[in-house]
């Protein structure tokens, strides 16, 4: 999940903002850039990769896979992974280097005090950062639902998060979708 906040960034572990956004989606990245262009300072709090599903698991790798498969590339899956990884790294760098955006790594949640203006961010290092924001925006993204299919081993079940890990196209595939 990623939280997006606009604020004046102090040097302490408490960030003060006028906006906060939470989510695992491309919208948090896009909204960060829009708010920054409008002159607001932004903190994007991201637990995963910047760019969300579109950059990392959906739009970009799937379009790259289709493009290269149509052109007869030997390993279109590797190309899709590389294309997605390159864009993800550039978006990460863009957020880290932007003069109006602060990228904060970690998982954010509303605080136990139930203050709708304060988010608590748990970093991978175990440290907590509190972010105060006038507005909190949730950009939830998506996550695949896994369910058992009789006769199919768990390691053969692919989702939008794992399909690009394939080394070769399967001879046969059954797609089950809900969106």
């Amino acid at each position: 999940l990623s939280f997006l906040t606009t604020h004046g960034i102090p040097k302490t572990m408490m960030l003060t903002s006028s906006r906060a956004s939470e989510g695992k989606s491309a919208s948090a990245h896009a909204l960060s850039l829009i708010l920054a262009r409008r002159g607001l300072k932004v903190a994007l709090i991201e637990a995963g990769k910047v760019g969300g599903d579109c950059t990392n698991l959906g739009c970009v790798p799937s379009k790259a896979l289709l493009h290269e498969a149509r052109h007869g590339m030997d390993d279109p899956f590797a190309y899709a992974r590389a294309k997605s990884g390159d864009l993800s790294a550039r978006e990460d760098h863009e957020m880290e280097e932007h003069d109006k955006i602060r990228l904060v790594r970690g998982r954010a949640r509303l605080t136990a005090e139930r203050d709708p203006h304060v988010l608590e961010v748990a970093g991978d290092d175990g440290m907590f950062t509190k972010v105060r924001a006038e507005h909190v925006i949730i950009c939830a993204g998506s996550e695949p639902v896994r369910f058992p299919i009789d006769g199919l081993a768990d390691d053969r079940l692919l989702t939008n998060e794992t399909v690009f890990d394939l080394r070769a196209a399967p001879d046969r595939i059954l797609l089950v979708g809900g969106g």
Side-chain angles (χ1 to χ4, degrees), residues 1-3 21-22 45-47 106-110 119-122:
L1 299 179
S2 50
F3 284 82
S21 172
E22 180 276 326
I45 304 167
E46 177 62 67
R107 294 205 171 271
R109 65 183 180 135
L110 294 170
L119 304 170
E120 186 175 77
V121 182

Side-chain angles (χ1 to χ4, degrees), residues 18-31:
S18 63
R19 303 279 188 281
S21 172
E22 180 276 326
K24 178 185 155 185
S25 72
S27 58
H29 173 252
L31 190 55

Side-chain angles (χ1 to χ4, degrees), residues 1-2 22-28 52-54 138-144 160:
L1 299 179
S2 50
E22 180 276 326
K24 178 185 155 185
S25 72
S27 58
D53 292 347
C54 187
I138 299 174
C139 307
S142 66
E143 195 170 291
N160 66 309

Side-chain angles (χ1 to χ4, degrees), residues 3-10 15-21 31-45 100-102 117 119 131-137:
F3 284 82
L4 174 70
T5 66
T6 57
H7 57 79
I9 303 171
L15 304 176
T16 304
S17 312
S18 63
R19 303 279 188 281
S21 172
L31 190 55
S32 296
L33 293 171
I34 290 167
L35 293 170
R37 271 188 231 120
R38 292 186 177 179
L40 298 169
K41 290 197 177 199
V42 176
L44 172 60
I45 304 167
K100 293 194 182 293
I101 298 172
R102 166 118 181 240
H117 302 287
L119 304 170
V131 177
R132 177 171 294 284
E134 184 179 335
H135 302 281
V136 175
I137 305 162

